Amino acid sequence: MVLKADVAPPRHQWWYRPLLVFGRTCILPILNRKYKIRMERYKGKVPDASIVMFNHVSDYDFLGVLDGFPHYTRYVASDALIRKRYMRIVMGLVSDFIFRRKGENGDNVVESVKASIAKGVHVCIAPEGGESINGTTAYIRPRTGQMVKDANAGMVTFRMEGGYFLKPSWSKRRYKGPMFGRVIGVYTKEQMAAMTPEEINDLIYRDLYVNSYEWQRENRIVYEGEARAEFMEQVLYTCPKCERINTMHSKCDNLRCSECGYSVDVDEYGFFTGEDVVFDNLYDWDVWQRKRLHSVAEKMRSDPERIILSDSGQVLKGLENNYPYVIEDDVTLSMSAARITIKGKVTDIDMPLEEVQSITVVSREDVGIIHKGVYYQIGAKVQRSGVKYKQLIAMLRGRQYL
């Protein structure tokens, strides 16, 4: 499928504004009690049409910002919400969201934000892109600061804590525990105009930064639920003991290496326990494995055709009318410093790395690749990490991705 971006200016405010008031007044309190969302509602004024930046910690971020920032706002969201026809109808009736397709360069989002600010409408966006996979605020997308300046917008920063343990991005389960949040900073368009894009990005990162595991060490809040380790191998792809890739497997509260037997359990606070714990939390483990992958990538530059990452038994998908369909159900996805290949009985796709526009993670486990404007989606028959491909291409392109 060839991707095409569309600009979405604000529309039908006469309908969406009262609908948002109704939802915030009648529905949101019920959801807040159910999910223990405890936001500090901002009661001050916002002098300019602003871009509201929030740290993306869970599926429930939208509810937190909706409660904590009561002004009328458009929200930027993934187009995964409208993949199904009935959801396109529902979202069109209840929201004026700006939708971004996974893996796009974001031109449609930037232009839609500018069109909204020009009409005096706030826009809410997660400048990290996707949800935090390890509980810590990721680097801000480089174009974010320039977007604020080009839109002649003010800026609001909104930070949330605890949501990562409520619903980790890698998990398919929700746990019982609170999420907190509040506005950190309100900045005028004059203040933004006086700063460089890099300074704006640094300011956003500073205001939104949270390390969920450091926060949890201080607060020690129990997040109740079962199977606290399941699907962690989507993030933790390298064993810290034998250093092999794709050997970690989860079951219930346990994460175990199939090669050397290294094993840890996850407690009610989200920390690793066991007799031979190398790292007691997912963030430290993830930073270690990224550094290791970076060192491997550096060595492979001298032998660019040598395979660094590879997964067999993959499912190659395409998109037609926004719906995924299977092209071939048994292919091998491989990546070297020079190229990405997808090979099967009928599939033989070769993508030189300089022609790959982006790699992203779709629906927590699929790998989305855009090559010369064509979108490919690769799923897996068994649990494995897709994010390692996204991390590797960033490293090969000179970014440490730590």
Side-chain angles (χ1 to χ4, degrees):
M1 176 181 179
V2 179
L3 302 179
K4 181 180 179 182
D6 296 310
V7 177
R11 62 194 180 99
H12 308 318
Q13 292 184 50
W14 57 270
W15 167 252
Y16 291 120
R17 283 181 181 271
L19 197 65
L20 191 61
V21 171
F22 171 79
R24 183 177 280 121
T25 304
C26 300
I27 301 176
L28 189 60
I30 298 173
L31 296 176
N32 284 349
R33 285 194 296 270
K34 179 178 180 180
Y35 297 118
K36 296 185 178 180
I37 296 174
R38 302 168 183 174
M39 299 294 115
E40 181 180 318
R41 184 165 295 182
Y42 182 68
K43 299 179 180 180
K45 293 183 179 180
V46 181
D48 304 303
S50 298
I51 302 176
V52 183
M53 308 287 183
F54 68 95
N55 58 319
H56 202 357
V57 294
S58 77
D59 291 343
Y60 303 99
D61 295 341
F62 166 71
L63 298 178
V65 181
L66 188 65
D67 186 34
F69 187 76
H71 300 270
Y72 179 73
T73 308
R74 298 186 76 194
Y75 293 82
V76 177
S78 167
D79 74 332
L81 286 174
I82 54 172
R83 288 280 173 86
K84 296 181 179 179
R85 185 173 292 106
Y86 80 91
M87 282 301 296
R88 288 201 293 273
I89 295 173
V90 170
M91 294 305 294
L93 289 173
V94 302
S95 76
D96 191 20
F97 283 11
I98 298 169
F99 290 102
R100 172 173 180 155
R101 191 186 302 277
K102 280 284 188 180
E104 276 187 350
N105 61 17
D107 287 347
N108 67 315
V109 173
V110 172
E111 295 303 317
S112 298
V113 168
K114 289 164 64 176
S116 301
I117 296 296
K119 294 289 186 181
V121 177
H122 303 303
V123 178
C124 187
I125 188 170
E128 301 163 85
E131 287 182 34
S132 171
I133 65 169
N134 59 22
T136 299
T137 307
Y139 291 119
I140 307 305
R141 285 183 169 176
R143 297 178 65 187
T144 304
Q146 190 62 56
M147 177 181 66
V148 175
K149 291 179 70 68
D150 289 347
N152 192 29
M155 189 174 75
V156 177
T157 52
F158 193 98
R159 186 174 69 217
M160 285 171 280
E161 299 167 328
Y164 176 76
F165 296 105
L166 173 65
K167 178 65 175 66
S169 62
W170 43 264
S171 178
K172 296 181 181 179
R173 297 175 180 268
R174 184 181 70 83
Y175 303 93
K176 295 180 180 180
M179 181 171 73
F180 307 91
R182 62 188 178 91
V183 168
I184 300 299
V186 178
Y187 308 96
T188 66
K189 63 182 181 181
E190 288 79 15
Q191 288 176 293
M192 296 294 96
M195 299 175 69
T196 66
E198 293 75 19
E199 288 172 337
I200 294 174
N201 287 342
D202 289 343
L203 173 61
I204 297 169
Y205 184 70
R206 184 197 71 193
D207 281 4
L208 300 188
Y209 180 81
V210 58
N211 181 317
S212 295
Y213 289 97
E214 289 180 358
W215 176 86
Q216 180 65 308
R217 286 189 201 281
E218 295 179 3
N219 291 276
R220 303 296 291 180
I221 296 174
V222 172
Y223 285 81
E224 299 177 354
E226 299 178 347
R228 290 186 288 266
E230 282 194 356
F231 311 113
M232 268 190 177
E233 63 264 52
Q234 291 181 11
V235 179
L236 299 175
Y237 49 82
T238 306
C239 175
K241 188 174 181 179
C242 69
E243 299 191 356
R244 296 197 179 186
I245 294 178
N246 292 342
T247 62
M248 301 306 304
H249 302 285
S250 64
K251 184 176 181 181
C252 297
D253 295 337
N254 180 260
L255 189 63
R256 182 181 180 85
C257 176
S258 59
E259 290 295 319
C260 70
Y262 177 73
S263 176
V264 294
D265 293 317
V266 182
D267 68 15
E268 66 270 30
Y269 302 105
F271 291 100
F272 294 127
T273 62
E275 295 181 358
D276 192 25
V277 173
V278 178
F279 304 103
D280 76 347
N281 66 89
L282 183 147
Y283 172 72
D284 289 342
W285 186 337
D286 187 34
V287 169
W288 168 81
Q289 71 177 1
R290 293 190 196 200
K291 288 181 178 178
R292 183 181 179 278
L293 183 61
H294 185 262
S295 66
V296 170
E298 286 298 307
K299 292 178 183 178
M300 294 301 181
R301 289 181 187 275
S302 60
D303 187 7
E305 297 296 338
R306 184 177 177 182
I307 299 299
I308 303 174
L309 299 175
S310 184
D311 285 292
S312 59
Q314 305 296 287
V315 181
L316 176 61
K317 308 172 187 177
L319 284 181
E320 185 173 348
N321 297 323
N322 235 14
Y323 287 90
Y325 67 95
V326 175
I327 298 174
E328 188 171 353
D329 67 356
D330 189 7
V331 301
T332 297
L333 171 66
S334 301
M335 186 172 175
S336 68
R339 65 190 69 254
I340 298 172
T341 60
I342 306 173
K343 296 185 181 296
K345 290 183 179 180
V346 297
T347 300
D348 189 357
I349 301 173
D350 183 272
M351 296 174 277
L353 228 56
E354 64 268 17
E355 296 177 358
V356 175
Q357 293 163 250
S358 67
I359 298 179
T360 188
V361 179
V362 184
S363 300
R364 295 185 171 84
E365 54 193 61
D366 285 10
V367 179
I369 302 174
I370 300 178
H371 173 244
K372 298 174 70 172
V374 179
Y375 179 78
Y376 302 97
Q377 186 168 322
I378 301 94
K381 296 179 181 179
V382 296
Q383 291 297 321
R384 60 96 174 97
S385 170
V387 74
K388 61 182 183 284
Y389 291 97
K390 179 179 178 180
Q391 293 171 352
L392 180 57
I393 194 171
M395 293 170 186
L396 290 170
R397 288 176 171 173
R399 181 180 166 196
Q400 290 195 13
Y401 207 93
L402 301 177

